[in-house]
Amino acid sequence: MPLLSSPSSLAPPGTSPGAEPDPDRPALVAVAHGSRDPRSAATIAALVEQVRVQRPDLDVRLSFLDLSTPRLPDVLAAVAADGYRQAVVVPLLLGNAFHARVDLPGAVAGAAARYPGLRLTVADVLGGDPRLAAAALRRLAEVAGPLDAPDLGVVLAATGSSHASANAAVDRLASSWAARHRWSGCVAAFATALSPTVPEAIEQLRAAGAGRIAVAGWFLAPGLLPRRVGRAALAVDPRAHVAAPLGPDADVAAVVIDRYLAAAQRDSGGQTDRQDRSRLVRATTLSGSVPSTTCATVVSSRIDRRLARTATQTSCR
């Protein structure tokens, strides 16, 4: 399966094939980390296509920080060349860890310095919205069956981060699942060198009386780490049910749109058109609150005064 360089040969890098550039409305630039696994880029492209289906009026462009194409600097260059005065960069990231705190602000700062006429806003990461958890549970049910079995033990597997707050968010989600369901238990585990690992989590669940093991992946797309999680689980329990990543889920796409709208509204001082206001109201009804943009990064031609503060953000509540 080809990487995303193929679609970009038909249109400007990362552009939405069906949307005409409208410089009066901010472009939505979705940015994922990237992977050597071509399935990852294809899945992210399908997710972004879901965003376009839900909001065909927006110019939605896809980009990557590394390993896949088109790269973020190239897409932002195309946005500037199309005459846009503003773009909202939406991180397709589940946690507020290194890529969100360091890599992305640095890349956006470089683009802002090159294109002073283009105001860039970085939206909040996707994690924290209950619709993502609902999508993960749907993926889990696809492989494990009905999620009301008391003999089921669930591992919630995530990447893991050097930032304790990002790991704590996964722990809280696992705890909420354990409280909500009649399972034998639910334990967070991490694919990187953190504890508990997936095998350690499975051992904990077996000790708690779990007769069946299912692994939910807190990942957007296939790649090295989801594959590592699946292999580790099956090495311990060949009968374990391993769920797919969130993928191009309609609810995940809706969260991407809400992150864009909230960041655009914040940057415009609350001035949004009537259609966008109604969509924000619907998002509030679904999730219980408008997604936070406390950590949104606004980068303009005055980036030199703001970059240090941006790169050292420490929390997103």
Side-chain angles (χ1 to χ4, degrees):
M1 187 174 294
L3 293 178
L4 290 181
S5 53
S6 295
S8 68
S9 66
L10 304 177
T15 192
S16 170
E20 291 294 331
D22 179 4
D24 292 328
R25 170 174 285 177
L28 190 165
V29 179
V31 57
H33 178 263
S35 171
R36 292 184 177 87
D37 187 335
R39 297 174 303 161
S40 177
T43 300
I44 295 297
L47 172 61
V48 170
E49 188 58 33
Q50 275 283 341
V51 174
R52 293 169 180 152
V53 168
Q54 293 185 28
R55 288 299 302 264
D57 57 316
L58 295 179
D59 185 357
V60 182
R61 308 200 184 196
L62 171 62
S63 67
F64 297 90
L65 287 171
D66 196 9
L67 301 175
S68 303
T69 58
R71 298 291 177 86
L72 179 61
D74 296 328
V75 173
L76 292 178
V79 169
D82 283 339
Y84 278 93
R85 294 182 290 274
Q86 183 182 3
V88 175
V89 179
V90 181
L92 302 184
L93 302 169
L94 296 180
N96 188 38
F98 183 83
H99 299 306
R101 295 168 182 258
V102 179
D103 286 350
L104 181 55
V108 172
R114 288 190 296 274
Y115 312 112
L118 177 64
R119 187 167 72 255
L120 298 173
T121 304
V122 178
D124 199 1
V125 297
L126 304 183
D129 193 289
R131 288 169 290 181
L132 300 183
L137 288 172
R138 286 195 293 273
R139 300 290 88 76
L140 188 64
E142 289 169 359
V143 297
L147 299 180
D148 57 357
D151 68 332
L152 187 64
V154 175
V155 178
L156 177 59
T159 299
S161 172
S162 58
H163 294 274
S165 60
N167 302 327
V170 181
D171 285 327
R172 287 193 299 271
L173 180 57
S175 296
S176 71
W177 283 6
R180 174 181 169 187
H181 297 276
R182 299 188 303 118
W183 302 332
S184 294
C186 182
V187 178
F190 302 99
T192 52
L194 295 172
S195 185
T197 63
V198 170
E200 290 169 347
I202 292 176
E203 289 180 7
Q204 291 182 35
L205 292 167
R206 290 293 192 198
R212 292 190 303 134
I213 298 297
V215 180
W218 197 237
F219 305 101
L220 275 181
L224 172 64
L225 294 181
R227 185 166 63 248
R228 181 185 299 173
V229 163
R231 288 175 176 173
L234 293 173
V236 175
D237 183 351
R239 297 178 301 170
H241 308 285
V242 180
L246 302 184
D249 189 278
D251 277 353
V252 179
V255 176
V256 173
I257 294 167
D258 290 345
R259 292 295 189 262
Y260 162 86
L261 292 176
Q265 184 186 44
R266 176 184 183 275
D267 195 37
S268 65
Q271 299 301 313
T272 57
D273 63 31
R274 183 174 301 173
Q275 181 183 36
D276 285 350
R277 287 181 186 273
S278 67
R279 291 178 185 273
L280 279 170
V281 169
R282 287 198 293 274
T284 302
T285 303
L286 286 169
S287 65
S289 63
V290 175
S292 169
T293 54
T294 304
C295 290
T297 306
V298 180
V299 187
S300 68
S301 60
R302 296 184 294 275
I303 188 65
D304 291 338
R305 296 203 299 270
R306 299 187 183 186
L307 178 57
R309 185 170 69 245
T310 298
T312 56
Q313 287 176 296
T314 57
S315 65
C316 184
R317 297 180 175 85

